[in-house]
Amino acid sequence: MRKCVFLPLRHFFSVVLICSLFLLTSCGKKNDSPRIYLDDEFYWSLTGANSVPEDAEKLKFEHLDNMGYKNLMDLVGIDGKYVWLKAEFELIPELKNDDLSMVIPYLHYADVLYLNGKYIDDYGVMGETPDDPINQEAGYVAHLFDFPELYLNQEGKNTILIKVQCLGHATITDGVFVGLRQDCWRTSDNMTFWRCRFYMFFEGMLILCASFFLMLYFLYKPLASLRRFAFLNILTAIFFSIFFITELPWAGFHGGVPFIWYVKIAKCTCFFAIEFVFSMFICSFIEKKMKAYEIAIQYLSFLISAACSMLAPSYLWLVKKTLILIPISIVGFLYSIVCAAIAAKKAEPKIREKAKVVLYAVSFLLVIMSIDVIIKGAFRNIKMPFISIFGLTGVILIIFVYFCVDYSQMSGRLDYLNQGLEEEIKSQTKRLLNAKESLEHDREMSLKDMRMAAIVQNKFFHAPEISLKNWDFAVRYEPLSLVSGDLFNFYHDGENLNGVSLFDASGHGVAASLVTMLAENIIQQTYNEALGTEESVAAILKRINYRFIESKGEIENYLTGILLSTKENDDGTCTVTMTNAGHPYPLFYSVDEGCVEEMLPTADMPYTGPVGLSGFGVDYSDMSFTMKKGDILFLYTDGITEMPNKEKLDFGIDPIKQIIEKNKDCSAEEIAKRLMERLSDFIKDTPRTDDVSVIILKRV
């Protein structure tokens, strides 16, 4: 694996270095156009912000001995002072009687040029003070000034005056010349391309790279390293735009973003953000689990530097404080490099490999930046492109190559596995098809058994098919599947109602349905044995509990339920005696009270629990009440009150109370119909979670 990863990286280093040397050493063919070079002809003098060419005639000028990077800064400092630069030349025969131009390869910060006292052009914007918000640097373009023939003295001296605002690294480089327009324009365009427009290529490449990795982040496994690498490309692209800000139509004096804010955001804050995102990327790339203090180091080093940049009052403040802010911002980055160095020695092989890629990339960046520092610092050459851009772009490309190689290897391994597993998949597919046929057969047999069980249950549990004297009743029995865990029964002698039972077995499906049939046999037999005796309903239920525990053996299912008996009175009323085995409390509508109430036990009643739990000392108690004409008793299982909707809210008992009270004069069947309609509207398309059983008894 290492050969696959690091060999391309070595090749990449070689290609980048060769391209860099080619860029730095390449030159065009020798120029034969006539030129007047002015490098040794410049003189300088301090002046004021409002100085005009007439004022320059009164100043004492000194010869400008050095034509190199930061030469004006060395003379007057970085505080934004103003100087006049003066140069004189006489036309040579080849340049007479023609429109000419003048090229200054690099001039910083901002300038305005006059020829023989006449305004020619300016670059950048000079404010009246160093803190003036309208200040804008000229950028990295070569300065091209057109000299019309009418402005030139064909005989004698021509005087050039350049007013320069020396803010920051004020510079005028060598290579200044006057020549034919076509020659100057071509030379200026060539210089401007390599120092400004050339970076647009890297801009596009970085944006494409960022888009690619954002796509990977959103479409595939969302790794933090992918997201951070995409942001690193975006921030780097924004930072590179400082090289061609003068070409942008929405920044500086073109309009849109003021120059000072563009510098704060793109040149300063974005630089610190690159360090921050790069350091966070390194930590996620080497899969380091950061502790709270480590995250704090990363964020603080960035936030302090970024806040200082955004709150800077002026460009001059930024120039003076940069050397302080850079060390602060780099703390988190250095920490991540240390983590990568440790991981390269002590981590597992895959992490060591990633850490080495990071260290190679950072080493490449440091080498290129060192070359740039030597060129710009030691040799004072600002006319060459900033090759540090190759270092930063190289880091991104190295990591990009690693990602590509890593994904390529992963794809290769997957292809190998796919080929190796193809035969196994075919074999397993055949086995699965055979198993599917067997399962389909078993499923069909199970469905037949379920349908038969459902038929048997329906024979066991159904409402009376005849009318009951003095009673109007309705039943809703809706299993969750083909079979139900709910059971009910009406105990009647012809049209005379003796009692009603409603029970709910724990669990669902076939097991619960079998338990219901066992339980129903015990409940019906025990209840019928007690008819005609004075035995209380509570005693009957207690005997049912004992018999059920004994009959079910090791079966864990239990029952909750209501058992009640009815006794007709001479005055046309009915006495109902009821006992509850851990079941939801029935609802009772009283004509006299005009409202629905839950049938809650009194404080003196003993604890009642489910039927079928051995080892628990449960007891049951009777609750008696009288039902008159118009009274309604509502029995139900918790499948209706605990039915949830898509917001996970239960149906509850309040809607049931409202429907009973609103439809108290309707038949029991009408009440049941409207209740189920209300339940369907409540749950809509939400799947049901339990069996639903409802018994409505209305006294008539």
Side-chain angles (χ1 to χ4, degrees):
M1 181 180 292
R2 290 185 179 178
K3 287 185 178 181
C4 294
V5 175
F6 296 119
L7 188 57
L9 293 182
R10 295 192 187 100
H11 291 170
F12 175 77
F13 288 143
S14 303
V15 171
V16 172
L17 288 174
I18 291 172
C19 292
S20 302
L21 292 174
F22 175 77
L23 174 65
L24 299 178
T25 57
S26 63
C27 60
K29 65 181 181 179
K30 184 177 179 181
N31 181 73
D32 296 326
S33 299
R35 293 180 177 181
I36 302 173
Y37 283 93
L38 304 178
D39 292 348
D40 295 330
E41 305 298 328
F42 276 98
Y43 294 80
W44 71 279
S45 178
L46 278 172
T47 186
N50 299 317
S51 178
V52 294
E54 290 76 10
D55 299 328
E57 297 176 0
K58 306 172 185 178
L59 300 175
K60 182 179 179 181
F61 284 84
E62 300 179 32
H63 187 262
L64 186 61
D65 298 323
N66 175 27
M67 293 290 285
Y69 186 42
K70 300 182 182 179
N71 55 350
L72 299 180
M73 183 194 76
D74 293 339
L75 293 173
V76 300
I78 65 174
D79 296 334
K81 294 179 181 177
Y82 300 83
V83 300
W84 279 109
L85 298 178
K86 181 179 179 182
E88 295 179 336
F89 67 94
E90 293 184 5
L91 294 178
I92 59 177
E94 295 87 346
L95 298 179
K96 289 185 177 181
N97 302 315
D98 202 348
D99 292 331
L100 306 179
S101 295
M102 175 179 171
V103 174
I104 303 177
Y106 181 79
L107 183 55
H108 186 83
Y109 174 77
D111 58 274
V112 56
L113 183 143
Y114 299 87
L115 173 65
N116 298 326
K118 298 180 177 62
Y119 168 80
I120 298 299
D121 204 351
D122 58 71
Y123 284 82
V125 179
M126 287 189 286
E128 296 184 357
T129 66
D131 296 331
D132 196 325
I134 71 168
N135 287 334
Q136 178 174 325
E137 67 177 38
Y140 296 92
V141 298
H143 291 197
L144 176 68
F145 301 96
D146 290 332
F147 294 167
E149 180 185 350
L150 294 176
Y151 286 11
L152 290 164
N153 296 324
Q154 302 299 316
E155 303 294 336
K157 292 184 177 181
N158 290 277
T159 302
I160 296 172
L161 285 173
I162 308 174
K163 184 179 176 183
V164 182
Q165 183 181 21
C166 300
L167 185 57
H169 299 161
T171 302
I172 182 171
T173 61
D174 59 346
V176 181
F177 71 92
V178 176
L180 296 174
R181 281 197 174 178
Q182 186 177 9
D183 176 31
C184 292
W185 288 356
R186 181 176 60 251
T187 304
S188 172
D189 286 344
N190 185 54
M191 292 179 177
T192 298
F193 173 79
W194 288 110
R195 289 210 302 273
C196 297
R197 297 164 189 161
F198 169 69
Y199 297 105
M200 293 182 181
F201 164 75
F202 295 94
E203 188 91 354
M205 182 181 67
L206 292 169
I207 292 174
L208 286 175
C209 189
S211 302
F212 175 74
F213 277 90
L214 279 177
M215 179 186 67
L216 285 180
Y217 175 75
F218 287 113
L219 294 182
Y220 299 98
K221 187 177 180 180
L223 297 174
S225 57
L226 295 178
R227 182 187 71 246
R228 288 166 179 166
F229 187 67
F231 287 158
L232 179 63
N233 280 268
I234 293 172
L235 292 169
T236 306
I238 296 173
F239 179 72
F240 283 172
S241 67
I242 64 176
F243 291 105
F244 47 86
I245 180 177
T246 54
E247 307 290 322
L248 299 177
W250 43 264
F253 59 80
H254 295 292
V257 181
F259 178 75
I260 180 62
W261 279 103
Y262 186 82
V263 171
K264 288 180 179 181
I265 297 171
K267 195 171 186 179
C268 298
T269 303
C270 195
F271 173 77
F272 301 138
I274 289 172
E275 292 182 329
F276 168 70
V277 174
F278 193 17
S279 63
M280 295 296 288
F281 165 75
I282 290 173
C283 292
S284 59
F285 184 67
I286 63 176
E287 300 180 25
K288 174 177 174 54
K289 295 181 179 179
M290 301 178 69
K291 298 178 181 178
Y293 77 90
E294 293 172 323
I295 297 175
I297 290 174
Q298 300 286 352
Y299 275 91
L300 284 175
S301 62
F302 164 66
L303 292 174
I304 292 172
S305 304
C308 291
S309 299
M310 296 302 294
L311 297 174
S314 65
Y315 181 87
L316 178 59
W317 190 94
L318 287 173
V319 172
K320 290 182 176 180
K321 304 301 181 184
T322 298
L323 294 178
I324 299 175
L325 295 179
I326 289 179
I328 295 174
S329 68
I330 209 170
V331 170
F333 179 70
L334 292 177
Y335 182 79
S336 65
I337 298 299
V338 171
C339 293
I342 295 173
K345 291 184 178 182
K346 299 182 179 180
E348 61 184 51
K350 183 66 175 178
I351 304 302
R352 283 205 305 269
E353 183 180 291
K354 289 185 174 183
K356 288 179 180 179
V357 171
V358 169
L359 295 177
Y360 288 158
V362 173
S363 299
F364 177 77
L365 174 63
L366 293 177
V367 169
I368 298 300
M369 290 181 65
S370 299
I371 296 174
D372 218 5
V373 169
I374 293 172
I375 294 172
K376 303 297 188 294
F379 293 99
R380 294 291 185 104
N381 190 334
I382 193 67
K383 293 186 292 181
M384 297 183 64
F386 285 84
I387 65 171
S388 293
I389 191 173
F390 294 107
L392 192 53
T393 307
V395 169
I396 290 174
L397 288 179
I398 289 171
I399 298 172
F400 179 82
V401 168
Y402 176 83
F403 274 125
C404 291
V405 172
D406 189 49
Y407 278 109
S408 176
Q409 291 176 343
M410 186 184 301
S411 176
R413 290 193 296 270
L414 289 175
D415 288 341
Y416 174 77
L417 291 174
N418 287 336
Q419 293 174 2
L421 290 175
E422 186 174 355
E423 292 301 322
E424 182 65 21
I425 290 173
K426 289 181 179 178
S427 175
Q428 293 293 341
T429 301
K430 186 176 180 180
R431 294 177 186 176
L432 288 173
L433 289 174
N434 293 335
K436 179 184 176 184
E437 293 177 0
S438 177
L439 288 173
E440 287 290 342
H441 178 267
D442 293 343
R443 177 176 175 273
E444 186 62 32
M445 295 300 296
S446 297
L447 285 175
K448 288 181 179 179
D449 292 342
M450 288 277 283
R451 294 190 188 101
M452 183 59 67
I455 293 172
V456 173
Q457 263 200 329
N458 289 331
K459 293 293 184 180
F460 269 82
F461 314 131
H462 62 275
E465 298 177 354
I466 62 174
S467 300
L468 298 177
K469 185 178 180 180
N470 299 324
W471 293 101
D472 180 20
F473 63 90
V475 176
R476 289 295 183 272
Y477 180 67
E478 297 184 1
L480 181 63
S481 58
L482 288 175
V483 292
S484 173
D486 292 349
L487 63 143
F488 71 92
N489 207 342
F490 283 70
Y491 308 107
H492 60 97
D493 181 12
E495 63 179 7
N496 297 315
L497 179 65
N498 297 320
V500 176
S501 65
L502 176 62
F503 286 83
D504 183 3
S506 60
H508 303 289
V510 176
S513 69
L514 293 174
V515 170
T516 62
M517 286 185 276
L518 171 64
E520 171 56 21
N521 183 55
I522 294 172
I523 295 169
Q524 186 173 17
Q525 181 181 355
T526 306
Y527 191 89
N528 289 334
E529 289 174 356
L531 286 177
T533 68
E534 298 298 326
E535 188 175 12
S536 67
V537 179
I540 297 172
L541 185 58
K542 189 170 183 178
R543 191 142 45 93
I544 291 171
N545 179 46
Y546 174 77
R547 289 181 175 180
F548 182 64
I549 292 173
E550 185 178 25
S551 298
K552 73 185 183 71
E554 299 298 325
I555 298 174
E556 296 181 354
N557 298 72
Y558 60 87
L559 307 170
T560 66
I562 298 289
L563 183 65
L564 62 85
S565 65
T566 61
K567 181 181 178 182
E568 296 290 335
N569 299 322
D570 295 336
D571 59 358
T573 63
C574 178
T575 300
V576 179
T577 303
M578 177 183 69
T579 186
N580 190 323
H583 199 72
Y585 300 116
L587 301 178
F588 179 63
Y589 173 78
S590 171
V591 172
D592 294 340
E593 300 292 335
C595 63
V596 177
E597 297 291 343
E598 285 186 87
M599 304 295 287
L600 301 175
T602 60
D604 59 343
M605 289 183 177
Y607 167 76
T608 61
V611 172
L613 291 179
S614 60
F616 290 87
V618 296
D619 202 354
Y620 303 102
S621 56
D622 290 329
M623 175 185 290
S624 296
F625 55 95
T626 301
M627 291 187 66
K628 301 178 180 179
K629 183 178 180 179
D631 289 350
I632 301 172
L633 182 62
F634 185 85
L635 308 177
Y636 60 96
T637 58
D638 58 8
I640 186 169
T641 55
E642 296 180 5
M643 187 74 69
N645 61 5
K646 63 180 180 179
E647 285 82 21
K648 306 301 181 184
L649 300 176
D650 290 343
F651 187 63
I653 64 171
D654 289 337
I656 301 174
K657 290 181 176 180
Q658 295 170 7
I659 290 172
I660 294 174
E661 291 177 357
K662 185 176 180 180
N663 300 279
K664 60 184 182 297
D665 297 326
C666 298
S667 66
E669 181 62 30
E670 187 66 24
I671 295 174
K673 178 182 177 181
R674 294 181 183 178
L675 173 64
M676 301 311 292
E677 289 174 352
R678 177 74 173 272
L679 178 63
S680 296
D681 291 340
F682 177 77
I683 64 173
K684 297 186 184 312
D685 298 328
T686 306
R688 295 191 178 188
T689 58
D690 200 355
D691 306 312
V692 173
S693 296
V694 169
I695 297 176
I696 301 175
L697 297 174
K698 183 175 182 180
R699 188 70 178 172
V700 294

